[in-house]
Amino acid sequence: MQVAKPVGRNAPAIKYDILSALTVHALSGDKHRQRSILRIIALITTRYNWRNNELSIGREEIARLWSVNERTVKREMAKLRSMGWIAVKRAAARGRVAVYELDLKQVMLDTSDIWPTIGSDFQARMSDDPEPDTNIVPFKVNPAPFEPSDEEVWTQVQAILHGRDPELWASWFQHLTEAERAGGVVTLMAPSRFMADYIAQKWSARLLAAYGRVDPSVRRLRFETAE
């Protein structure tokens, strides 16, 4: 699937494609989905920095834009994080609001069911990967050595992660094992403390989003190591 970075000469067209997918995805659902998508579109069109992939905004300002209270903002932002659409890039600090980043590829993956509704040209444009304008040979990733199973949650989570980004899976996620899953908390084992800390800091939101598609009861991850 193609999701080019919305910068350069083609930036306006790419932005329109993303907003079109979000809008039609919202209209294809019930009033709850429509409201949620309208809220994220409001954040994108008013405060999102496309070039730097940064959404710098405080909870109070979001509440004002959405005409809701801050409790609703907290709940809605948590929902977007669990979907893997948004992640905290820099946490809020005294005198400084939080900075978020959007995972546009995840957004487009989750809206792919409505691409044919927009048109065959849109579907073709989003589905076809462009030829890379580079002399660099891409790293070859071997196929995932597993098949999704309805009975094994971790196997399905791994399949989702591999399908989302094979190179990232090969570098990080394939080395994890699920040690325990109980009470909404999953304990994952990593081969080293460095890997455990790095994944916890950088990729925990993506892991939670993958779990959310298989077992919505999972709300928190713990990372441990055998070292």
Side-chain angles (χ1 to χ4, degrees):
M1 184 192 72
Q2 173 188 356
V3 181
K5 191 174 182 180
V7 296
R9 289 184 303 171
N10 296 325
I14 296 168
K15 293 173 185 178
Y16 273 119
D17 282 343
I18 293 169
L19 292 173
S20 296
L22 280 169
T23 303
V24 179
H25 176 66
L27 292 171
S28 69
D30 59 20
K31 63 181 182 181
H32 302 293
R33 180 195 290 181
Q34 293 171 9
R35 183 170 55 195
S36 292
I37 302 302
L38 183 59
R39 285 170 174 169
I40 194 168
I41 289 175
L43 294 180
I44 291 173
T45 56
T46 60
R47 293 293 183 270
Y48 182 52
N49 184 316
W50 293 91
R51 179 175 294 276
N52 297 329
N53 187 15
E54 289 186 347
L55 178 66
S56 181
I57 190 169
R59 191 179 296 173
E60 181 179 354
E61 186 176 3
I62 297 175
R64 186 172 66 252
L65 286 173
W66 289 355
S67 298
V68 298
N69 57 40
E70 292 188 32
R71 182 179 300 177
T72 299
V73 171
K74 182 178 180 180
R75 183 174 63 249
E76 192 74 16
M77 296 298 280
K79 178 182 176 182
L80 291 170
R81 289 197 301 272
S82 70
M83 292 166 62
W85 285 22
I86 195 168
V88 177
K89 192 171 185 178
R90 290 193 296 275
R94 188 173 181 179
R96 187 183 67 190
V97 300
V99 178
Y100 303 92
E101 59 184 358
L102 301 183
D103 190 333
L104 296 177
K105 186 171 183 178
Q106 188 65 57
V107 169
M108 296 305 286
L109 281 170
D110 289 345
T111 61
S112 59
D113 59 320
I114 56 82
W115 293 353
T117 304
I118 299 176
S120 57
D121 59 330
F122 184 91
Q123 185 175 19
R125 188 162 64 251
M126 292 296 102
S127 301
D128 295 338
D129 292 326
E131 291 295 325
D133 184 20
T134 177
N135 294 325
I136 300 174
V137 178
F139 175 71
K140 183 177 180 181
V141 179
N142 294 326
F146 51 76
E147 292 294 332
S149 167
D150 290 338
E151 292 76 26
E152 298 182 19
V153 171
W154 177 237
T155 299
Q156 294 182 71
V157 169
Q158 283 276 42
I160 291 170
L161 294 169
H162 180 271
R164 171 69 175 78
D165 192 327
E167 292 188 17
L168 183 63
W169 175 86
S171 298
W172 300 99
F173 298 135
Q174 72 161 328
H175 304 293
L176 297 175
T177 57
E178 185 185 76
E180 184 180 27
R181 178 167 22 93
V185 180
V186 170
T187 300
L188 297 174
M189 298 294 294
S192 69
R193 173 49 54 189
F194 167 78
M195 179 171 285
D197 291 343
Y198 185 85
I199 294 176
Q201 179 181 4
K202 184 73 175 177
W203 302 115
S204 58
R206 184 170 297 187
L207 276 161
L208 271 176
Y211 264 108
R213 286 163 169 73
V214 182
D215 183 356
S217 68
V218 175
R219 292 288 181 267
R220 188 163 63 88
L221 300 178
R222 293 175 51 197
F223 295 88
E224 297 185 356
T225 177
E227 289 185 344

